[in-house]
Amino acid sequence: MITYKSAGYLHLSLPRLLETLGEHDRVWLWHNGDDEATIEALRPFTTDSRVHRYHHSRENVKLREPTTWLWRESTARFVSKVDDDCRVAPGWLDTFADAHGTNPEFGVIGSWRHPEEDFRPELARKKIQTFNGGHQLMRNLWVQGSGYLMSRALTDRHGYLEPEESFTGYCIRLARAGAVNGFYFPFVPEDHMDDPRSKHTLIHTDTDLRERMPLSAQANGVRTVAEWTAQLVQSAAVLQSASLDPRAYGGWRKKLKSAQRRLRTMNGRPAQW
């Protein structure tokens, strides 16, 4: 779990994560920055027996460095990241580990962070497949970077996040190499508390959004709660309809999409996924 200015959510996200651990599961904590409220909220957990490592970076180094820290130094069979604004579901680790155990071709299996009203069965049904052990995935080349489970052996074969590579890009790179990625189905929910529709959200007004501004919202030029909610709805639709052909996310197609996103942002409009 990577934390940054998240005191308002940590009392919900971190205890829930710890509650879901099995006997041999451990949490690594990385805190970015010097926000005193967050540091104070973390303090009781730094000596918890279920917390294996704790690192405090005075600088906000964001996500790549702490993710690589876990991937490089862990000896675990599986690795994951849970965002500080997300509440995982009970049993998520056992479900995903069992699915991996009976399906060695699985790469990254994800929780589903969107509310029920975002599910579009007419889009998703063609991507839902059944695998060994009766496990089902709504296949997609990537999942979000929270509440997933990935075999650490993949990092040995394919390396770590490259300097300008997102977790989405890393998942697509694994898929190009043959890994089967997707969201476990029926969906294993993850409460994304920075979604204005979550009952635990702290984002109620445009001012709240400006003060908290999720990285995805910032990157896409979002300015209002309505725009942020619309982006989340659109993101769910994209996940349920996106192509499973890795060629759709490289070459000229990728360059064209990136140019379109930059143009929308420069014109003061939220970028579209």
Side-chain angles (χ1 to χ4, degrees), residues 6-16 41 45 84 87 193 202:
S6 51
Y9 289 140
L10 268 178
H11 68 290
L12 295 172
S13 59
L14 185 48
R16 167 59 67 85
F45 299 101
D84 54 8
R87 296 172 74 243
M193 294 182 284
L202 296 177

Side-chain angles (χ1 to χ4, degrees), residues 7 37 48 54 60 64 66 80 87 114 136 138 144 147 153 163 168 171-172 178 181 190 200 208 226-227 247 265:
D48 191 295
Y54 172 65
N60 178 18
R64 182 174 291 101
S80 177
R87 296 172 74 243
H114 300 274
Q136 291 184 296
M138 187 193 80
Q144 77 263 354
T168 294
C171 290
I172 294 174
N181 302 332
E190 181 184 57
H200 297 111
D208 295 337
E227 290 175 350
R247 293 175 298 179
T265 302

Side-chain angles (χ1 to χ4, degrees), residues 7 9 15 18 23 31 98 123 128 171 216 220 225 231 237 252-253 259 264 270:
Y9 289 140
L18 294 172
E23 181 181 358
H31 177 63
D98 185 61
L123 295 178
I128 297 171
C171 290
S216 176
N220 286 285
V225 172
Q231 178 179 309
W252 66 267
R253 297 177 182 88
R264 286 185 62 87

Side-chain angles (χ1 to χ4, degrees), residues 214-247:
L215 288 176
S216 176
Q218 182 179 4
N220 286 285
V222 164
R223 296 166 298 180
T224 68
V225 172
E227 290 175 350
W228 175 225
T229 303
Q231 178 179 309
L232 294 170
V233 172
Q234 184 187 20
S235 173
V238 167
L239 293 172
Q240 294 169 88
S241 60
S243 172
L244 295 176
D245 182 354
R247 293 175 298 179

Side-chain angles (χ1 to χ4, degrees), residues 87-269:
R87 296 172 74 243
V88 290
W92 72 289
L93 279 173
D94 292 338
T95 298
F96 292 177
D98 185 61
H100 272 287
T102 55
N103 296 275
E105 71 274 24
F106 281 1
V108 191
I109 302 175
S111 305
W112 182 253
R113 60 165 51 177
H114 300 274
E116 291 183 10
E117 62 262 29
D118 286 354
F119 179 47
R120 302 272 298 278
E122 73 280 7
L123 295 178
R125 64 168 60 97
K126 62 181 177 294
K127 299 181 69 175
I128 297 171
Q129 299 179 16
T130 302
F131 298 87
N132 292 339
H135 294 288
Q136 291 184 296
L137 297 183
M138 187 193 80
R139 289 191 59 190
N140 197 55
L141 297 192
W142 72 92
V143 302
Q144 77 263 354
S146 175
Y148 65 83
L149 196 67
M150 180 178 80
S151 172
R152 193 183 55 79
L154 291 172
T155 68
D156 294 333
R157 293 199 293 270
H158 303 288
Y160 309 122
L161 291 166
E162 296 177 354
E164 300 301 323
E165 186 176 42
S166 65
F167 185 68
T168 294
Y170 188 81
C171 290
I172 294 174
R173 179 150 62 92
L174 297 183
R176 287 197 181 100
V180 174
N181 302 332
F183 298 89
Y184 196 90
F185 191 85
F187 292 135
V188 174
E190 181 184 57
D191 180 13
H192 181 206
M193 294 182 284
D194 260 350
D195 185 328
R197 297 167 295 176
S198 168
K199 67 179 180 180
H200 297 111
T201 191
L202 296 177
I203 297 178
H204 303 285
T205 67
D206 295 345
T207 300
D208 295 337
L209 178 66
R210 286 193 295 272
E211 291 176 350
R212 299 198 60 82
M213 194 54 72
L215 288 176
S216 176
Q218 182 179 4
N220 286 285
V222 164
R223 296 166 298 180
T224 68
V225 172
E227 290 175 350
W228 175 225
T229 303
Q231 178 179 309
L232 294 170
V233 172
Q234 184 187 20
S235 173
V238 167
L239 293 172
Q240 294 169 88
S241 60
S243 172
L244 295 176
D245 182 354
R247 293 175 298 179
Y249 307 98
W252 66 267
R253 297 177 182 88
K254 180 179 180 181
K255 292 179 181 178
L256 177 61
K257 189 68 173 178
S258 296
Q260 291 172 336
R261 286 163 61 89
R262 288 195 301 270
L263 182 60
R264 286 185 62 87
T265 302
M266 289 171 59
N267 290 336
R269 296 177 294 166

Side-chain angles (χ1 to χ4, degrees), residues 1-7 9-10 13-14 17 27-33 38 42 53-57 59-71 80-86 145-146 148 161 167 215:
M1 177 176 279
I2 304 166
T3 60
Y4 174 71
K5 289 187 177 180
S6 51
Y9 289 140
L10 268 178
S13 59
L14 185 48
L17 174 60
V27 169
W28 295 36
L29 288 174
W30 178 295
H31 177 63
N32 279 326
T38 306
L42 279 172
R53 298 276 295 273
Y54 172 65
H55 180 84
H56 179 194
S57 169
E59 180 186 357
N60 178 18
V61 295
K62 299 187 178 179
L63 305 178
R64 182 174 291 101
E65 183 175 339
T67 298
T68 303
W69 170 66
L70 172 66
W71 291 3
S80 177
K81 176 171 75 70
V82 175
D83 288 344
D84 54 8
D85 62 351
C86 290
S146 175
Y148 65 83
L161 291 166
F167 185 68
L215 288 176

